[in-house]
Amino acid sequence: MTRLGSLFSRRLFSSVASLRRVVVTGLGAVTPLGCGVEPTWRRLIEGKCGIRAIGPEDLRIDGVDEATLAYTYEQLPSKVAAVMPRGKGQGEFDEEAWLQSKDSKSISAFISYALCAADEALRDANWLPNETKEKERTGVSVGGGIGSISDIFDASKLINEKKIRRLSPYFVPKILINMASGHVSMKYGFQGPNHAAVTACATGAHSIGDATRMIQFGDADVMVAGGTECSIDALSIAGFSRLRALSTKYNATPEASSRPFDCDRDGFVIGEGAGVMVLEAFEHAKERGAKIYAEVRGYGMSGDAYHITQPQNDGKGAMLAMRRAIDQSGLHPNEIDYVNAHATSTPIGDAIEANAIKSVFSDHATSGALALSSTKGAIGHLLGAAGAVEAIFSVLAIYHGIAPGTLNLEKIDPVFEGAYAPLVHAKKMPIRAALSNSFGFGGTNASLLFSSPTI
């Protein structure tokens, strides 16, 4: 680092250190592994997989004949997805409870996921305030990557069929991504910042990072933050397939289809779900005796300025995001014990990120001291929710002292060598700090750094 760069880093840390500390006091999740943080985390650590084969009934196409539906399904090259388990049993998402409320006409599936995850997170944090001042100091930052493509598809058919008068007056509120935050804030009466990031697959991480800064700068004392996505539908799968982004080799063996860092990976598996955290000013949490999972220590962002879907070959954008998060934290790279990689199971992206992590952590990585994994082997790629759910996994890794493994890692990419390799199985170990990476189309990158509140 140059002398000028070193001086800038010291000044940056000095200015950040003067801001309010931010901690995580509540967690909520709905994922392909289960509805709720406990079943999701338990099944993740047990090495279970939430990916299955999909059929025509999963494509969310209403009002078409069976022949058209069957033809559409047959034309899709990828027939696997990480689908939310639905039903009324334990660990299942109860659609009726979240989609048939008094506001159901303006709620689409991605909004309902956010409502469910937010409710769990708030109850976990024991933060359901009644006083006006507390509600005014509580905000929401829940983003999404795409919104409700299936509702847009259904509405467009009405235009095509010259039935425009049948278009619901709630069509626009159902598809706007910021309505997830809007509905959460309305349900609980939160009148602090009402925010929604839309940065493709980095959305969840950006939403949490932005919310952290809102607390640091005094815009709120508590923020409900995360990401949500529900894009398992014909049009989304067709679109990603045309980009050649999805896995197609494992339609007959769906649980083997998402295989980050494996030599036989051939694309990501589309998933759905939501992850939400309750973030809180440290002094505010301490004063009310809240349980503290971890502290948010760093939030790094960057842009590749290179290509709409591919990262730079040298991984510079990823390196910049990670280094900025580490610099902001005031921690040494050797103090970080675990990295939850973005690695989506694409041939190019995984290798570039692996090299970027090795460049940032140097001897700490090559010595084998740094634990590394991608949890997308178990849950697929949740797009706009991925960064939030994986941030929750990073926080739980610190809290429980367990680094999750990487599913389906049978032949490790030769980009790894020696002691530098991803975890295949979950590993019990002390984790002082963890870094969570999220990178999105358009070259947008975000890294979140969490630590035990005691270091």
Side-chain angles (χ1 to χ4, degrees), residues 82-103:
V83 182
M84 181 84 64
R86 292 173 171 79
K88 294 185 180 294
Q90 188 173 10
E92 295 179 326
F93 179 73
D94 185 352
E95 288 186 297
E96 290 184 12
W98 296 102
L99 281 171
Q100 295 185 9
S101 67
K102 62 174 183 173
D103 298 314

Side-chain angles (χ1 to χ4, degrees), residues 300-317:
M301 296 177 283
S302 72
D304 289 340
Y306 175 70
H307 189 272
I308 57 170
T309 59
Q310 294 181 10
Q312 291 171 283
N313 291 332
D314 61 4
K316 184 179 179 182

Side-chain angles (χ1 to χ4, degrees), residues 85 112 137 151 163 173 238 298 307 313 328 335 344 351 373 410 449:
S112 71
R137 298 293 298 165
D151 279 306
K163 297 176 181 176
H307 189 272
N313 291 332
Q328 191 182 107
E335 294 180 276
T344 63
S373 69
E410 297 169 355
L449 201 160

Side-chain angles (χ1 to χ4, degrees), residues 220-448:
D221 295 324
V222 180
M223 289 293 295
V224 182
T228 184
E229 197 76 84
C230 181
S231 294
I232 298 176
D233 57 71
L235 197 53
S236 297
I237 295 172
F240 281 116
S241 293
R242 291 292 291 164
L243 280 173
R244 297 185 178 179
L246 299 182
S247 173
T248 59
K249 291 198 310 187
Y250 300 92
N251 289 338
T253 52
E255 290 192 352
S257 56
S258 183
R259 41 199 320 114
F261 299 128
D262 187 82
C263 287
D264 293 327
R265 65 189 184 272
D266 74 322
F268 74 79
V269 174
I270 194 168
E272 62 180 356
V276 172
M277 292 181 172
V278 174
L279 303 175
E280 195 165 344
F282 174 68
E283 292 298 330
H284 186 274
K286 189 170 69 170
E287 185 178 332
R288 70 182 188 90
K291 170 180 60 181
I292 295 176
Y293 284 101
E295 181 173 357
V296 188
R297 291 290 289 269
Y299 172 37
M301 296 177 283
S302 72
D304 289 340
Y306 175 70
H307 189 272
I308 57 170
T309 59
Q310 294 181 10
Q312 291 171 283
N313 291 332
D314 61 4
K316 184 179 179 182
M319 288 188 280
L320 283 172
M322 287 187 277
R323 284 175 176 153
R324 287 167 180 170
I326 295 168
D327 287 346
Q328 191 182 107
S329 73
L331 298 175
H332 190 278
N334 289 1
E335 294 180 276
I336 296 162
D337 298 303
Y338 170 65
V339 173
N340 187 291
H342 176 68
T344 63
S345 188
T346 59
I348 295 174
D350 289 17
I352 290 173
E353 185 181 8
N355 277 327
I357 292 169
K358 183 164 64 173
S359 295
V360 169
F361 289 95
S362 189
D363 294 346
H364 185 50
T366 56
S367 69
L370 179 70
L372 162 72
S373 69
S374 169
T375 45
K376 288 187 174 74
I379 63 170
H381 189 1
L382 273 56
L383 307 177
V389 171
E390 290 158 21
I392 289 172
F393 292 161
S394 300
V395 165
L396 290 172
I398 294 168
Y399 190 71
H400 293 295
I402 305 175
T406 308
L407 217 58
N408 300 316
L409 188 53
E410 297 169 355
K411 292 187 289 182
I412 298 176
D413 191 303
V415 69
F416 294 97
E417 55 185 357
Y420 178 50
L423 294 173
V424 177
H425 305 291
K427 180 181 179 181
K428 293 200 80 167
M429 57 181 285
I431 300 176
R432 299 166 294 179
L435 187 76
S436 181
N437 284 336
S438 297
F439 313 134
F441 282 179
T444 179
N445 310 301
S447 293
L448 291 168

Side-chain angles (χ1 to χ4, degrees), residues 98-176:
W98 296 102
L99 281 171
Q100 295 185 9
S101 67
K102 62 174 183 173
D103 298 314
S104 61
K105 290 181 180 179
S106 61
I107 293 177
S108 51
F110 83 97
I111 297 172
S112 71
Y113 293 169
L115 283 166
C116 182
D119 189 72
E120 181 186 18
L122 287 162
R123 293 181 188 282
D124 184 37
N126 193 27
W127 185 249
L128 296 163
N130 292 314
E131 293 185 17
T132 299
K133 188 174 181 180
E134 291 176 335
K135 290 183 178 182
E136 289 175 350
R137 298 293 298 165
T138 303
V140 186
S141 173
V142 178
I146 297 176
S148 187
I149 289 283
S150 59
D151 279 306
I152 295 172
F153 180 79
D154 289 341
S156 68
K157 285 192 300 178
L158 295 177
I159 302 293
N160 219 25
E161 296 165 0
K162 299 179 181 178
K163 297 176 181 176
I164 192 168
R165 290 184 179 276
R166 290 179 56 184
L167 184 67
S168 168
Y170 298 101
F171 165 65
V172 172
K174 288 181 75 172
I175 67 168
L176 291 177

